[in-house]
């Protein structure tokens, strides 16, 4: 994972600032340039516009200049609506601050496209170049948009900035009907010059940006991306990601679409979690999270109060909130008594609270009831569940909803509770109702399931930021030199264990011997032993019949050595072995883990923790972490395993020695980091987990490192 990209240079950063705050824009091309000019004017841009075309007299009423050389000044921004080869021949870095390159036919097609890509990068110099193969950018800050689709202005100037690799998906974002405030929407395209890391680094320092949204298909440089996201984290700017290419087919399409390298889903998830990036599985949740991050403070916790006049709505809210990991604390006795006196006799006091259909729209009755819940209950979040009638029905059906919104807004005033209006159906909240909710201090959240999910993610992000105050920022994955995995050197089990033991990994007290002395070696142990053939040419000993377990006494040991020899003669006739490892059997284990480290070209060293034995294949039960790791991250990973219950006293079984398991895994991680320049692969399988207080033991280990070390 060589990090070839340097942090955004001062010159390019200055040019990116000019691009996003243009005092003048040059549009080059024919029909596409004309469309972009119309969109820019309709957005409200009133500064200077130039049109360039070698043959046309005018575009959209603007007299055309024949070439860039004829411009009276160096424009802050330029839209290049011309073919790929003309883009390069026109010297894209000449006399401009930044440019949007609309043309396709670059690296995404390979071959000649890759040559064009290299030429474009070389010609760009310090130009802040967006694209190529992109749709441009929407600018809500000063309306200097270079975009090819009509959109409604007025969502900014302060709000979320979105950077996306798909131009068509980016077209959808300004069309959203969710009241997400925006500052910029940037279609990044192939990222020939400016990449996600550059945009994030710049946008995190822009006072108009409240949050950064990423529509990701791949990351071109993980270390550079990580550094930029940590800059945003330090500055308190949430980063929210929605990924395409999660399925195997989606990953292949993403790679062919923008020449992005879409890597393993588990590693992307591990990276986003490490950097505190909020993941959204759908565009709907992506937009709801951006709205929440732009309009709401961080909550103090995940305790939610829910109000509605429907048992069905409350039941769904309870289901969705619980599934998302939100807490629904019940009212205390004082609240219960006070609220009971405010409700009809047949009503029940609970959370979610059904205030009954009889109180529909009863603002004067609901306000004190809501206030009692919010001001005395220790809640962090609150929702009222209301679906809006169709607009064709006129204003009368809306009035009760507005009264209930006012009631909750008034009740929350003076508290730190984040209050929201949630509709069960995402489509049944028109703009007028969203605006009304915002005006009265409520966050409009569309779709009850999405509302609960994004509130839970926002609460988790708040907890992550509180954790940073004590632990400091997370460590980004570091760049790795490229090594050829086909030229690795395999260490035998004894050498692998010896190296790992030097870093603190507990291993059995073994003896290396030959066939002649194996009986004496086995007799030196009080109980049964394991006997294994030792050879760097034998990575999979069990499959070759080169492991014998439960051997007791010298004669049985000699017979075991002979059987191993016969098995190897049949399995691998050219292999001659006369070295054996004799170890005491590990008895009384509660369970076993597979712990490995692999070298990933994108993400660096990856620690994999999995259920041992058949469970890893049966359940696909594993967690991936990017090195370096902390003790807390390792413990959290262990607890995320589906099989963790088996190690935690399931049905009266002894609990595993969890601290010892964590210590062992950290020892493996330390070895990997200390040998990062040469390590290709590492496997400890199994790591036997003994009952509490008895530790953990690495029964087998294998290390592969670069040849010549």
């Amino acid at each position: 994972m060589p990090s070839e990209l340097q942090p955004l240079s001062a010159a390019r950063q200055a040019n990116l600032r000019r691009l996003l705050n243009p005092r003048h824009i040059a549009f080059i091309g024919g029909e596409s340039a004309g469309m972009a000019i119309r969109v820019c004017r309709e957005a409200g841009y009133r500064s200077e516009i130039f049109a360039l075309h070698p043959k046309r007299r005018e575009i959209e009423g603007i007299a055309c200049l024949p070439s860039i050389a004829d411009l009276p000044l160096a424009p802050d921004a330029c839209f290049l609506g011309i073919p790929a080869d003309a883009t390069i021949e026109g010297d894209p870095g000449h006399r401009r601050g930044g440019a949007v390159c609309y043309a396709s036919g670059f690296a995404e097609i390979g071959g000649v496209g890759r040559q064009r890509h290299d030429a474009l990068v070389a010609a760009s110099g310090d130009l802040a170049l967006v694209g190529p193969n992109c749709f441009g950018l929407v600018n809500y800050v000063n309306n200097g948009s270079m975009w090819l689709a009509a959109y409604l202005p007025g969502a900014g100037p302060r709000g979320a900035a979105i950077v996306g690799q798909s131009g068509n998906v980016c077209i959808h974002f300004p069309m959203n009907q969710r009241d997400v405030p925006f500052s910029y929407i940037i279609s990044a395209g192939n990222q020939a010059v400016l990449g996600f890391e550059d945009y994030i680094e710049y946008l995190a320092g822009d006072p108009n940006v409240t949050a950064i949204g990423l529509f990701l298909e791949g990351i071109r440089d993980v270390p550079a991306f990580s550094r930029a996201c940590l800059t945003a984290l330090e500055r308190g700017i949430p980063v929210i990601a929605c990924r395409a290419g999660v399925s195997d087919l989606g990953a292949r399409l993403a790679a062919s679409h923008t020449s992005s390298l879409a890597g393993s889903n588990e590693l992307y998830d591990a990276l986003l979690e490490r950097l505190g990036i909020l993941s959204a599985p759908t565009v709907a949740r992506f937009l709801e999270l951006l709205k929440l991050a732009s309009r709401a403070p961080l909550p103090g916790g995940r305790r939610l109060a829910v109000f509605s006049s429907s048992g069905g709505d409350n039941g769904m809210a309870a289901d969705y909130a619980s599934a998302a990991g939100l807490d629904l604390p019940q009212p205390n006795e004082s609240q219960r008594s006070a609220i009971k006196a405010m409700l009809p006799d047949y009503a029940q006091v609970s959370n979610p609270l059904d205030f009954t259909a009889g109180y529909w729209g009863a603002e004067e009755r609901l306000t004190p009831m809501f206030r009692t819940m919010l001001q005395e209950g220790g809640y962090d979040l609150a929702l009222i569940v209301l679906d809006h009638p169709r607009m064709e029905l006129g204003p009368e059906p809306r009035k009760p909803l507005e009264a209930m919104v006012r009631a909750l807004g008034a009740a929350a005033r003076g508290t730190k509770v984040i209050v929201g209006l949630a509709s069960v159906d995402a489509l049944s909240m028109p703009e007028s109702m969203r605006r009304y909710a915002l005006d009265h201090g409520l966050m409009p959240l569309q779709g009850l399931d999405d509302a609960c999910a994004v509130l839970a993610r926002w609460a988790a992000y708040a907890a992550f930021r509180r954790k940073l105050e004590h632990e400091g920022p997370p460590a980004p994955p570091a760049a790795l030199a490229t090594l050829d995995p086909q030229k690795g050197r395999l260490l035998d089990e004894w050498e692998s264990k010896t190296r790992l033991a030097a870093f603190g990994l507990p291993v059995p007290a073994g003896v290396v011997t030959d066939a002649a002395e194996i009986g004496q070696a086995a007799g030196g142990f009080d109980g049964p032993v394991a006997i294994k053939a030792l050879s760097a040419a034998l990575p999979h000993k069990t499959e070759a019949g080169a492991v014998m377990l439960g051997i007791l006494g010298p004669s049985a040991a000699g017979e075991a050595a002979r059987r191993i020899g016969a098995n190897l003669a049949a399995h691998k006739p050219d292999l001659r072995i006369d070295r054996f490892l004799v170890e005491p059997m590990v008895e009384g284990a509660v369970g076993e883990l597979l712990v490995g480290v692999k070298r990933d070209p994108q993400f660096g060293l990856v620690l994999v923790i999995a259920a041992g034995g058949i469970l890893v294949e049966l359940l696909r039960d594993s967690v991936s972490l990017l090195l370096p790791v902390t003790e807390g991250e390792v413990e959290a990973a262990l607890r995320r395993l589906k099989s963790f219950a088996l190690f935690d006293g399931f049905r009266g079984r002894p609990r595993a020695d969890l601290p010892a398991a964590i210590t062992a895994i950290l020892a493996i991680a330390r070895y990997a980091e200390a040998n990062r320049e040469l390590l290709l692969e590492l496997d400890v399988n199994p790591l036997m987990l003994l009952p509490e207080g008895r530790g953990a033991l690495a029964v087998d280990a294998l290390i592969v490192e670069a040849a010549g070390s």
Side-chain angles (χ1 to χ4, degrees), residues 267-567:
L267 301 188
Y268 272 102
D269 290 343
L271 179 69
L272 300 186
E273 182 179 357
R274 167 71 59 86
L275 300 174
I277 296 173
L278 291 88
S279 295
T282 64
V283 169
R285 290 189 186 175
F286 178 62
L287 291 168
E288 292 294 292
L289 270 171
L290 286 171
K291 175 167 59 180
L292 196 57
S294 297
R295 296 189 182 276
L298 291 172
R302 52 197 318 114
R303 294 159 299 187
L304 171 69
V306 178
F307 308 104
S308 90
S309 66
S310 162
D313 287 351
N314 282 340
M316 284 190 289
D319 290 344
Y320 294 140
S322 298
L326 293 168
D327 298 329
L328 289 162
Q330 293 305 303
N332 58 39
E333 286 304 318
S334 172
Q335 289 174 296
R336 192 181 301 275
S337 175
I339 294 171
K340 181 67 175 174
M342 301 179 196
L343 285 170
D345 292 341
Y346 55 84
Q348 299 296 316
V349 180
S350 63
N351 181 28
L353 178 64
D354 180 355
F355 54 79
T356 76
Y359 281 23
W360 182 258
E363 181 178 357
E364 69 287 350
R365 293 183 176 183
L366 293 176
T367 302
M369 188 187 309
F370 294 162
R371 184 179 293 121
T372 300
M373 281 283 281
L374 300 187
Q375 295 188 350
E376 300 177 20
Y379 295 103
D380 308 297
L381 307 158
L383 286 177
I384 186 166
V385 183
L386 301 171
D387 279 53
H388 198 282
R390 290 182 65 92
M391 297 298 288
E392 295 93 327
L393 296 175
E396 284 304 314
R398 300 200 297 269
K399 290 180 179 179
L401 279 73
E402 293 171 352
M404 291 182 281
V405 165
R406 290 195 301 271
L408 185 56
R413 207 164 294 132
T415 75
K416 293 183 179 181
V417 182
I418 297 172
V419 290
L421 165 64
S423 58
V424 174
D425 180 358
L427 299 180
S428 63
M429 193 185 296
E431 182 180 10
S432 60
M433 195 62 200
R434 298 194 302 267
R435 293 291 178 180
Y436 197 85
L438 288 168
D439 289 344
H440 288 83
L442 275 67
M443 185 65 52
L445 297 170
Q446 292 159 258
L448 186 54
D449 55 341
D450 288 338
C452 292
V454 300
L455 286 175
R457 295 295 294 126
W458 192 230
Y461 178 73
F464 178 83
R465 294 204 65 89
R466 288 193 294 272
K467 183 180 174 185
L468 294 183
E469 296 175 5
H470 304 288
E471 299 182 3
L480 282 180
T482 301
L483 299 177
D484 186 351
Q486 303 302 317
K487 296 180 180 179
R489 181 172 79 92
L490 180 71
L491 279 58
D492 66 34
E493 180 181 344
W494 176 252
E495 186 176 359
S496 297
K497 284 181 173 176
T498 300
R499 289 194 181 189
L500 289 164
F503 282 78
L505 179 67
V507 299
V511 175
V512 177
T513 184
D514 57 21
E517 303 294 331
I518 199 166
Q520 181 180 348
F525 295 96
D526 292 335
V529 297
I531 296 178
K532 311 173 189 179
L534 266 185
S535 172
L538 197 62
H540 305 295
K541 298 184 289 294
T542 302
E543 291 84 341
V547 178
M548 297 289 162
L549 303 177
I551 306 302
L552 186 61
S555 60
E559 175 59 25
R562 285 188 291 275
R563 287 166 57 197
I564 288 174
N567 291 340

Side-chain angles (χ1 to χ4, degrees), residues 189-213:
N190 290 8
Q191 304 177 79
V193 175
L194 292 174
F196 276 106
E197 62 283 348
D198 300 314
Y199 295 118
I200 295 167
E201 181 185 337
Y202 175 84
L203 293 170
D206 189 320
N208 293 298
V209 174
T210 54
I212 299 172

